[in-house]
Amino acid sequence: MYMDQATGQVQRFQGVVRSFNSERGWGFITCNGSDVMVHIRDCKPTDIEFYTGGQPNVGDVLTFELEPRKENPEHLQAKKVEGGTSERHCNIKGKGLGIPVQGNGEHHGVVKSFGTRGQGWITHMDGTEVFADLADCVGSRPVTGDKLQFDMEPCKSRPGFMQARGITGGTAPLSDDPSQKIVITSSTDKYHAARNENGHLPGC
């Protein structure tokens, strides 16, 4: 990493995303006229709790630290990257492949974020945020941007928030890849899957 000689602090740089392959999880940032590699694992999520957002998109202005690439020290790689504006690819896997169930919930909203852990937030039509859990989804799984229908009740695990129940309208299958061994257990009510060393699905 590069240090600021005046302050003794790790120096942060700014650059613009030139390219990013969301499926492979890497791309390049243009910084001071040079290409810098960026990998999704080095990008800070917008929502750290649910590990959503923060994926670089072409044209995004990012801030980051720099260090030589381990496999090719003559080239640089971005670390501790902030500023990505897209949803992480692992969180929208299966989008459009599900068959939404016709719901009869009293409320409507749009998915703000929904992670591989099976939890996230819905932005209600009145602008408030509503907690969502995969255990409350009917027939399909929501992904960022989906328009949902649901009922609500006070959230026991998050005082002050409402929780969506009987959620319908998700556009991804509840289990879109049997090889991931996705299960829902009554003891955790969470979405579990094969994960990488960071505790998240591959490429996330």
Side-chain angles (χ1 to χ4, degrees), residues 121-166:
W121 296 100
I122 302 169
T123 300
H124 193 281
M125 290 187 67
D126 65 6
T128 60
E129 291 190 357
V130 180
F131 177 66
D133 192 294
L134 189 68
D136 296 307
C137 296
V138 181
S140 58
R141 172 171 54 84
V143 297
T144 301
D146 282 351
K147 296 179 180 180
L148 306 179
Q149 192 169 354
F150 50 92
D151 290 314
M152 294 194 306
E153 65 179 41
C155 184
K156 295 179 181 179
S157 63
R158 297 169 185 274
F161 288 95
M162 300 297 285
Q163 179 165 350
R165 299 291 191 186

Side-chain angles (χ1 to χ4, degrees), residues 87-117:
E87 182 56 271
R88 304 172 99 80
H89 180 72
C90 60
N91 292 333
I92 58 174
K93 184 178 180 181
K95 183 177 177 65
L97 300 179
I99 302 177
V101 174
Q102 182 64 42
N104 57 4
E106 182 180 353
H107 301 274
H108 294 79
V110 177
V111 180
K112 177 183 178 182
S113 62
F114 199 84
T116 59
R117 296 175 178 177

Side-chain angles (χ1 to χ4, degrees), residues 89-98 116 134 139-143 171-183 191-193 201:
H89 180 72
C90 60
N91 292 333
I92 58 174
K93 184 178 180 181
K95 183 177 177 65
L97 300 179
T116 59
L134 189 68
S140 58
R141 172 171 54 84
V143 297
T171 61
L174 280 175
S175 177
D176 56 1
D177 185 354
S179 68
Q180 295 295 340
K181 300 179 181 179
I182 298 169
V183 296
Y191 182 80
H192 297 281
L201 291 179

Side-chain angles (χ1 to χ4, degrees), residues 53 67 69 94 121 145 161 186:
E67 66 177 42
R69 292 172 59 185
W121 296 100
F161 288 95
S186 57

